[in-house]
Amino acid sequence: MKITFVCTGNTCRSPMLARMFEDYAAKIGFECVTDSAGMKGGGSPVNPKAARSLALRGLEASGHVSKVFGEGEADSDFVFTMTEEQRDKLRAEYPSLRVECLSLFTGEDVADPYGGDQSAYDSTADLFEGILGAIHDYVTKTPGSK
């Protein structure tokens, strides 16, 4: 199973959540491939504040280079976006793709910490930590999932 997380520029939220979910899946023995992409941009490393939030959890983001969502990510079994606007855009571009917004678990869009202080990134990581189990349950219990 391939799960892709999508944010705006693929330097903060989506690489953090992809790495956190990858670690969570390994710990519970759930086999999957995680990926991340952005709606624009590309070619940048993980934001240093996002990397620090991961490091505080014992995780690394080294080697990440941001990319724009495209055909290579369209083979995902599940795509989770940070905002409903991103979800709607991807659903329109890829009508056969299973795309959901994380608001399904949080009740609202996941705010972009970009430009904020370290606490904004840490709060985002805390939010992600709280929904890892719900994402796992969703992808394993949704009819038609692999």
Side-chain angles (χ1 to χ4, degrees):
M1 177 179 297
K2 181 177 177 183
I3 303 167
T4 300
F5 299 98
V6 177
C7 67
T8 304
N10 192 219
T11 61
C12 301
R13 294 170 292 175
S14 60
M16 280 195 326
L17 183 52
R19 183 63 189 98
M20 291 173 74
F21 191 80
E22 176 184 54
D23 180 66
Y24 175 82
K27 286 178 179 172
I28 65 167
F30 175 61
E31 292 188 33
C32 69
V33 173
T34 61
D35 197 7
S36 68
M39 298 299 288
K40 60 183 179 180
S44 298
V46 169
N47 180 291
K49 293 175 186 171
R52 177 157 168 67
S53 289
L54 288 173
L56 292 172
R57 289 162 172 76
L59 303 173
E60 291 186 21
S62 59
H64 174 81
V65 178
S66 66
K67 62 185 174 187
V68 176
F69 191 96
E71 292 300 323
E73 294 70 43
D75 67 347
S76 299
D77 298 292
F78 290 90
V79 174
F80 291 99
T81 64
M82 302 296 152
T83 70
E84 292 179 2
E85 180 181 348
Q86 293 163 348
R87 177 201 61 201
D88 295 347
K89 183 172 185 200
L90 288 179
R91 282 181 176 174
E93 289 180 34
Y94 303 93
S96 64
L97 190 60
R98 189 177 305 187
V99 183
E100 295 293 346
C101 179
L102 292 175
S103 62
L104 184 67
F105 312 113
T106 64
E108 60 188 5
D109 287 352
V110 176
D112 193 347
Y114 185 79
D117 62 13
Q118 186 63 50
S119 67
Y121 289 81
D122 295 343
S123 293
T124 300
D126 289 344
L127 174 73
F128 291 157
E129 206 161 58
I131 63 172
L132 295 172
I135 294 169
H136 171 259
D137 289 349
Y138 185 84
V139 301
T140 57
K141 294 177 181 171
T142 296
S145 61
K146 297 177 185 174

